[in-house]
C-alpha cells in the first residue's frame, strides 16, 4: 500500500509594496503565539517560530528585501489588530512602510474602511489612518534622539559622525558622508553603511540595527535617504521608522517646527510626508505621523512541503 504524503502546510498571504518596499501580510496559516503583550509574543515568535519566519520571507519564496507581517489578535484592548513584523534575519519592533502596506491590504480584503485603526505592535500601539485618497498616515510610537553627534571610527573609512535615535527601531543617522545617494551607488552605500553599523555596535550602541544616510532631496523633497536594514538589504522606501527617528532629530535641533511638514524621499525617489507634535518637549520625545501610499501586488498561497529541502527557506544562521 502506498504511504500517503505528509500534508503540506498552506499559508495565505497578500503582498504589497510601499514606495517600492515590499510587505507580505500573513492572513491565515500562521503560528498561534498564545496570549499576552506583543512584546512577549514576539519573543516566542523568535525562539519557537524562526523557521516559519524564514519560510515566509526568505528565498526561494521571498527575498532579502521582503518584510513579513503576521496578523495576531491584539493585547491592547484599544486595538482592532495586532501585528508582528519580520525580515530576512528576525523580527522588527515596528515597521512604517509595513503598516502602510498592512492598511492597504486590510482595505483590499474588505476588512477595514477609511478612518482610524489602532494596531498593536511589540513596541506599542500605533494609529493608522486610511485616508479618503487611499494614502495611509501612521501615528507612530513616541520617538526620540538618544545621542547627538556620536563619532565612530569606521575601519577603512575613518571617523563618521551621526545621531542615535529611536523611531520604533534603532537608527544611526548620518548627514555628513560625502556620498551621492542614487540607485547606481547602492552597492557602495551598502558597504559603507554596513561598516558604519558594525563600528556603531562595537563602539557603545549594540542596539542600533539600521543606518541612515541623508542628502539633498532630488524630486522636490526636503531630503533623500539611503537606509540599511538589519539583514543588509536596503530599504526601497524612505523607511517609516527611520523617518520618525529623523523627525525626532530635526525637532531636537529646532530644525522643524511642530506641525510643519517634512518630505522624506527614499533612494528610489518615492516619498513619505512626516510631521510631529511634542509628547514631552524637555526630554525631546515627539509623536511622529508618517504618510505614504501602498499598492497590493499579489494574493497567494505559500505551500510548505516537508519533502522540499528548502521548505523553511534559505536561512542566514
Ligand atoms: O518603514 O519602518 C520602515 C521599515 C523598517 C525596515 C524596513 N522598512
Amino acid at each position: 500500500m502506498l504511504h500517503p504524503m505528509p500534508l503540506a502546510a498552506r499559508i495565505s498571504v497578500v503582498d504589497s509594496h510601499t514606495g517600492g518596499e515590499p510587505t507580505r501580510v500573513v492572513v491565515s496559516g500562521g503560528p498561534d503565539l498564545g496570549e499576552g503583550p506583543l512584546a512577549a509574543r514576539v519573543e516566542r515568535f523568535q525562539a519557537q517560530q524562526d523557521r516559519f519566519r524564514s519560510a515566509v520571507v526568505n528565498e526561494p519564496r521571498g527575498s532579502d528585501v521582503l518584510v513579513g507581517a503576521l496578523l495576531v489578535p491584539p493585547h491592547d484592548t484599544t486595538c482592532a489588530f495586532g501585528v508582528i513584523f519580520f525580515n530576512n534575519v528576525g523580527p522588527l519592533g515596528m515597521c512604517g512602510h509595513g503598516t502602510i502596506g498592512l492598511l492597504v491590504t486590510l482595505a483590499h480584503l474588505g476588512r477595514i474602511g477609511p478612518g482610524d485603526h489602532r494596531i498593536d505592535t511589540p513596541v506599542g500601539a500605533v494609529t493608522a489612518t486610511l485616508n479618503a485618497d487611499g494614502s495611509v498616515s501612521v501615528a507612530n510610537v513616541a520617538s526620540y534622539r538618544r545621542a547627538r553627534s556620536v563619532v565612530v571610527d569606521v575601519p577603512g573609512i575613518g571617523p563618521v559622525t551621526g545621531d542615535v535615535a529611536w523611531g520604533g527601531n534603532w537608527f544611526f543617522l548620518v548627514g555628513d558622508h560625502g556620498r551621492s545617494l542614487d540607485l547606481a551607488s547602492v552597492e557602495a552605500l551598502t558597504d559603507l553603511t554596513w561598516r558604519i553599523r558594525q563600528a556603531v555596535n562595537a563602539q557603545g550602541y549594540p542596539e542600533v540595527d539600521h543606518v541612515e544616510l541623508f542628502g539633498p532631496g532630488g524630486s522636490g523633497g526636503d531630503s533623500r535617504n539611503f537606509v540599511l536594514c538589519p539583514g543588509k538589504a536596503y530599504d526601497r522606501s524612505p523607511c517609516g521608522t527611520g523617518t520618525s527617528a529623523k523627525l525626532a532629530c530635526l525637532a531636537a535641533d529646532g530644525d522643524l517646527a511642530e506641525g510643519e511638514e517634512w518630505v522624506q524621499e527614499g533612494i528610489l525617489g518615492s516619498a513619505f510626508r512626516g510631521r510631529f507634535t511634542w509628547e514631552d518637549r524637555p526630554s525631546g520625545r515627539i509623536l511622529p505621523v508618517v504618510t505614504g501610499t501602498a499598492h497590493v501586488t499579489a494574493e497567494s498561497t505559500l505551500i510548505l512541503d516537508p519533502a522540499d529541502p528548502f521548505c523553511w527557506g534559505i536561512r542566514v544562521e
Side-chain angles (χ1 to χ4, degrees):
M1 177 181 137
L2 282 176
H3 290 287
M5 293 281 289
L7 277 183
R10 288 172 175 262
I11 301 165
S12 295
V13 300
V14 176
D15 290 353
S16 62
H17 79 85
T18 307
E21 178 78 352
T23 304
R24 175 166 286 170
V25 177
V26 176
V27 178
S28 67
D32 180 357
L33 300 173
E35 294 180 354
L38 265 68
R41 277 189 259 168
V42 75
E43 281 177 20
R44 291 201 280 278
F45 181 68
Q46 193 161 21
Q48 298 163 13
Q49 302 294 342
D50 199 57
R51 64 181 197 165
F52 171 85
R53 172 196 63 74
S54 171
V56 171
V57 292
N58 284 346
E59 294 177 15
R61 296 181 194 84
S63 77
D64 279 353
V65 71
L66 185 57
V67 169
L70 176 64
L71 273 177
V72 297
H75 179 68
D76 182 325
T77 53
T78 68
C79 295
F81 303 94
V83 65
I84 291 173
F85 291 110
F86 50 97
N87 64 15
N88 56 337
V89 290
L92 287 161
M94 228 304 275
C95 183
H97 95 265
T99 305
I100 296 168
L102 172 62
L103 265 258
V104 167
T105 293
L106 292 171
H108 171 80
L109 294 172
R111 293 177 64 173
I112 62 163
D116 292 349
H117 303 279
R118 293 272 294 164
I119 297 171
D120 207 359
T121 84
V123 294
V126 302
T127 301
T129 307
L130 181 59
N131 301 309
D133 66 358
S135 66
V136 176
S137 299
V138 181
N140 193 10
V141 295
S143 302
Y144 56 93
R145 178 164 68 190
R146 170 175 283 179
R148 180 172 190 269
S149 297
V150 175
V151 182
V152 287
D153 190 22
V154 183
I157 306 285
V160 173
T161 304
D163 292 354
V164 176
W166 169 256
N169 295 297
W170 281 106
F171 290 83
F172 190 68
L173 299 91
V174 181
D176 187 10
H177 46 77
R179 307 298 198 284
S180 149
L181 301 186
D182 53 53
L183 212 44
S185 311
V186 292
E187 241 174 81
L189 296 171
T190 299
D191 179 63
L192 171 67
T193 45
W194 188 250
R195 286 167 191 251
I196 293 175
R197 179 187 159 181
Q198 285 170 320
V200 171
N201 291 163
Q203 292 170 44
Y205 298 96
E207 68 280 20
V208 168
D209 57 4
H210 292 71
V211 175
E212 267 187 285
L213 307 179
F214 292 90
S219 329
D222 292 295
S223 161
R224 174 166 291 201
N225 67 14
F226 173 86
V227 183
L228 185 76
C229 297
K232 219 176 179 180
Y234 68 91
D235 196 332
R236 275 63 170 166
S237 84
C239 193
T241 51
T243 299
S244 302
K246 175 67 174 174
L247 292 171
C249 296
L250 289 164
D253 288 333
D255 288 336
L256 189 72
E258 192 174 46
E260 205 180 322
E261 187 171 85
W262 177 264
V263 179
Q264 183 63 61
E265 292 170 15
I267 191 73
L268 302 187
S270 54
F272 287 164
R273 288 180 285 122
R275 57 189 161 80
F276 75 92
T277 52
W278 288 107
E279 185 192 56
D280 180 47
R281 199 169 190 152
S283 67
R285 286 170 70 90
I286 63 155
L287 297 172
V289 179
V290 174
T291 300
T293 52
H295 297 273
V296 169
T297 54
E299 289 177 332
S300 47
T301 303
L302 307 183
I303 296 174
L304 272 59
D305 173 0
D308 174 356
F310 294 110
C311 174
W312 300 107
I314 301 170
R315 295 165 82 186
V316 181
E317 299 296 343

